[in-house]
Amino acid sequence: MKTIIEIIDENNIDEDKLKVYANLIKNGETVIFPTETVYGLGANALNENAVKKIYEAKGRPSDNPLIVHISHINQVDDLAKNVSEKASIVMKKFWPGPITIILPKKEIVPDKTSGGLKTVALRMPKNKIALKLIEISGTPISAPSANISGRPSPTKGIHVVDEMNERVSGIIIGNDCDYGLESTVVDFTEEIPMILRPGSVTKEDLEMEIGKVLIDPSLNSYEDNKTAKAPGMKYTHYSPKGDVYIVRGKNLSQNINKLIEQNNELNLKSGVICSEENKYSYNGEVICLGSDLEEIGSNLFDALIEMDKRKIDIIYAEDFGSSGVGLAIMNRLLKSAGYKIINF
Ligand code: TXA
Ligand code: MG
């Protein structure tokens, strides 16, 4: 498949260029576009044949529902019913932005989009290219992260070109994604909302607006869990080619450096993913993610992809805790590690 690739400046959008992509969406084709979280692989959410092409391009299991992206809050009522007061408050506070709201779906949303569920996931992204693309396409756009199923999500134009060229009809290259972690997914179909996937809008942020919020219990455990309520959370995910381990405990750098020496003897290349404060403590290939959790989150997927480019066999990643955005970071890291943890 020939892929049309263009760079578009988010702060000075060339509408003629964007119209080419909007026409692809209108014609039932697939387009990759930037959002503030990760790049999305989009198609007309209301056209089953178009949605089928998303699953094919990603190699994704089709029981895994897609997020439907809208450009205006008015579109919610076209797609969902029983919109609760709490859901409305959250939409008004955090949209456009990195949060996805699950509500009972209306008929118009095809089963292919909702993965056969009776609910629909809605999100109004903040990225101006994404918003404009949805608007001029004249339809909501369903879009999962634009990676091959199982791989880290793309946060830079180069990631999508490397991985998805010739698998989709169009790729729009914008700036690097601001947040670098996929949106927070929250189920509003019960009285007390529940976070199904943690993200940059945290439990703390939500509770300030609407009171008690639950976390899908399967997210609190440090084990693989097949009972997660968001179907996407149960699949292998975010995996680079190297073998990832989460490391924590005492004398971390000394202990890791010992493992790195052993790996060297076996001709295995080691890499370490760490925070700013520890970046000079490790031997091997070190990628520092930054000093605060927001910065660490925004650089995580790029680091995993970069470890592949450097052909690293074994990747050690520090534990970034579970408060605030730490919960989202560790959710992604634990999955990429297949829940392997080394405790010193
Ligand atoms: O930031 C994001 O959310 C990105 C950008 C492109 O918007 N999209 C994204 O989509 O991460 P995806 O498909 O990779 O992840 C969507 C997650 C999956 O875990 C899926 O199972 C869950 O949301 N999900 C979607 N619809 C759902 C529903 N009706 N009920 C429960 N979980 C749902
Ligand atoms: Mg994904």
Side-chain angles (χ1 to χ4, degrees):
M1 179 187 301
K2 175 101 186 68
T3 304
I4 303 171
I5 305 179
E6 290 274 10
I7 297 173
I8 295 184
D9 178 359
E10 188 183 346
N11 297 314
N12 184 17
I13 295 178
D14 179 335
E15 286 207 23
D16 288 335
K17 275 190 189 171
L18 201 58
K19 271 187 196 142
V20 173
Y21 292 98
N23 282 333
L24 288 174
I25 297 282
K26 283 182 190 166
N27 292 333
E29 301 300 333
T30 48
V31 172
I32 291 179
F33 59 95
T35 85
E36 73 281 17
T37 58
V38 300
Y39 276 75
L41 196 176
N44 181 346
L46 307 181
N47 173 339
E48 285 210 304
N49 282 329
V51 171
K52 216 168 118 212
K53 292 180 187 167
I54 296 178
Y55 288 101
E56 282 163 8
K58 270 184 74 85
R60 172 173 175 138
S62 61
D63 69 334
N64 191 359
L66 303 174
I67 295 173
V68 177
H69 296 71
I70 57 177
S71 56
H72 198 281
I73 205 159
N74 289 348
Q75 291 169 284
V76 170
D77 288 331
D78 301 338
L79 302 161
K81 51 192 180 190
N82 310 341
V83 182
S84 68
E85 179 66 25
K86 287 177 187 170
S88 296
I89 293 172
V90 168
M91 287 173 202
K92 283 182 195 130
K93 173 76 188 177
F94 297 102
W95 278 358
I99 185 159
T100 295
I101 307 238
I102 309 245
L103 292 165
K105 83 172 183 74
K106 283 197 173 156
E107 275 298 295
I108 189 173
V109 180
D111 277 349
K112 265 248 131 28
T113 297
S114 68
L117 298 176
K118 294 272 168 278
T119 50
V120 61
L122 299 177
R123 174 162 116 79
M124 180 156 101
K126 191 169 191 167
N127 181 290
K128 296 195 191 93
I129 297 171
L131 284 171
K132 198 87 201 158
L133 177 69
I134 302 163
E135 192 187 305
I136 58 181
S137 298
T139 175
I141 295 181
S142 49
S145 50
N147 50 285
I148 305 237
S149 205
R151 298 269 306 150
S153 302
T155 57
K156 292 174 185 268
I158 183 78
H159 298 158
V160 283
V161 175
D162 281 352
E163 192 158 299
M164 302 304 281
N165 191 16
E166 298 187 353
R167 298 179 74 96
V168 292
S169 296
I171 296 179
I172 302 172
I173 300 179
N175 294 342
D176 296 350
C177 302
D178 294 334
Y179 294 96
L181 293 171
E182 306 88 342
S183 61
T184 309
V185 176
V186 189
D187 184 348
F188 281 90
T189 62
E190 305 280 342
E191 173 55 26
I192 304 181
M194 182 185 279
I195 296 178
L196 306 187
R197 178 176 71 183
S200 300
V201 176
T202 63
K203 178 176 193 279
E204 294 87 337
D205 295 334
L206 286 165
E207 287 191 330
M208 296 252 285
E209 306 302 323
I210 53 169
K212 190 169 172 58
V213 171
L214 302 170
I215 295 190
D216 182 346
S218 71
L219 297 177
N220 283 326
S221 79
Y222 265 25
E223 287 158 37
D224 198 352
N225 199 317
K226 306 282 181 219
T227 60
K229 291 208 170 123
M233 301 299 277
K234 68 182 187 234
Y235 299 110
T236 314
H237 242 104
Y238 313 119
S239 306
K241 297 191 184 90
D243 208 7
V244 183
Y245 294 84
I246 310 296
V247 290
R248 55 157 101 117
K250 295 195 200 83
N251 302 325
L252 208 52
S253 56
Q254 277 157 287
N255 283 316
I256 295 296
N257 287 336
K258 254 187 240 160
L259 290 179
I260 291 176
E261 257 172 59
Q262 290 168 12
N263 295 339
N264 287 345
E265 280 164 25
L266 298 169
N267 269 330
L268 293 172
K269 268 181 97 174
S270 311
V272 182
I273 291 178
C274 65
S275 64
E276 177 79 25
E277 57 178 326
N278 300 334
K279 71 175 174 185
Y280 298 117
S281 327
Y282 299 107
N283 304 326
E285 299 263 348
V286 175
I287 298 183
C288 157
L289 299 184
S291 46
D292 59 67
L293 288 174
E294 279 70 23
E295 195 186 1
I296 288 170
S298 72
N299 290 319
L300 176 65
F301 290 136
D302 183 48
L304 292 172
I305 294 168
E306 179 60 27
M307 286 290 182
D308 272 354
K309 286 194 186 142
R310 297 190 196 174
K311 299 201 161 34
I312 305 295
D313 300 297
I314 301 191
I315 302 162
Y316 300 108
E318 291 181 346
D319 186 334
F320 298 102
S322 61
S323 66
V325 183
L327 188 68
I329 295 169
M330 291 316 294
N331 169 264
R332 310 310 191 266
L333 260 179
L334 279 158
K335 280 172 185 292
S336 77
Y339 297 83
K340 296 191 299 301
I341 302 170
I342 304 177
N343 271 305
F344 294 109

